Amino acid sequence: MRAHLEKRPYAVLIEDGYVLRCFLEIDRDYVGVGFLDEHKREFLSYQFQEVEAGRLFLTMANYRKFEGEGDHTIEGTTYYFRMDGGLTIETEDFSTAVVSTKKTQVNVDGNWEGYPEFGNYNSITRVNR
């Protein structure tokens, strides 16, 4: 708890019953969340930045597709969010090394979260944002 209060680096594992669901990396003005699938592969990750005192903004989300039940990533899509609603989407097909980029505007009201209290991470560990 002291690391949390002093905003020093620490990690958290979150289970659903006996199944590891996600992990958090917390450091000063950064919170990273990695979501695990049934094969314990990180299929989704979020990066939050504390851009205002006590308020986090989701700046990046990354989604990965895997081949079968193995660890080989076949596609990755990264979403880069800006506070003004700008969104850049980069999708990479790892079998062809082709990267496509799209830019658009979106409503980012749902990207904001309060800095979590120690042990209460539900707001930032939601898969569906």
Side-chain angles (χ1 to χ4, degrees):
M1 181 165 177
R2 187 172 182 165
H4 182 83
L5 294 174
E6 295 174 359
K7 292 192 175 180
R8 289 183 304 158
Y10 72 98
V12 176
L13 299 175
I14 298 190
E15 296 177 330
D16 186 8
Y18 292 103
V19 177
L20 188 58
R21 185 171 66 88
C22 66
F23 61 90
L24 287 81
E25 301 169 300
I26 300 173
D27 186 10
R28 291 190 184 166
D29 61 353
Y30 168 83
V31 177
V33 183
F35 297 92
L36 305 174
D37 66 11
E38 65 275 7
H39 303 290
K40 294 186 177 56
R41 302 174 298 194
E42 185 181 11
F43 74 95
L44 176 64
S45 61
Y46 293 153
Q47 288 185 10
F48 293 90
Q49 300 292 325
E50 187 177 24
V51 294
E52 295 177 6
R55 293 189 70 203
L56 298 172
F57 183 76
L58 177 66
T59 56
M60 189 188 86
N62 181 273
Y63 178 75
R64 296 169 194 86
K65 291 183 184 175
F66 298 94
E67 183 175 14
E69 296 180 8
D71 291 336
H72 180 71
T73 305
I74 57 174
E75 184 179 286
T77 303
T78 304
Y79 303 83
Y80 299 98
F81 298 97
R82 292 193 329 250
M83 290 184 294
D84 67 0
L87 171 63
T88 300
I89 304 168
E90 289 183 357
T91 301
E92 182 173 0
D93 180 330
F94 290 104
S95 64
T96 62
V98 172
V99 177
S100 62
T101 302
K102 177 183 174 184
K103 294 186 179 200
T104 188
Q105 288 288 124
V106 296
N107 181 337
V108 293
D109 291 347
N111 289 42
W112 291 95
E113 294 292 344
Y115 198 91
E117 294 181 20
F118 181 77
N120 185 8
Y121 307 107
N122 292 337
S123 65
I124 59 173
T125 59
R126 292 180 291 132
V127 171
N128 299 320
R129 299 203 60 83

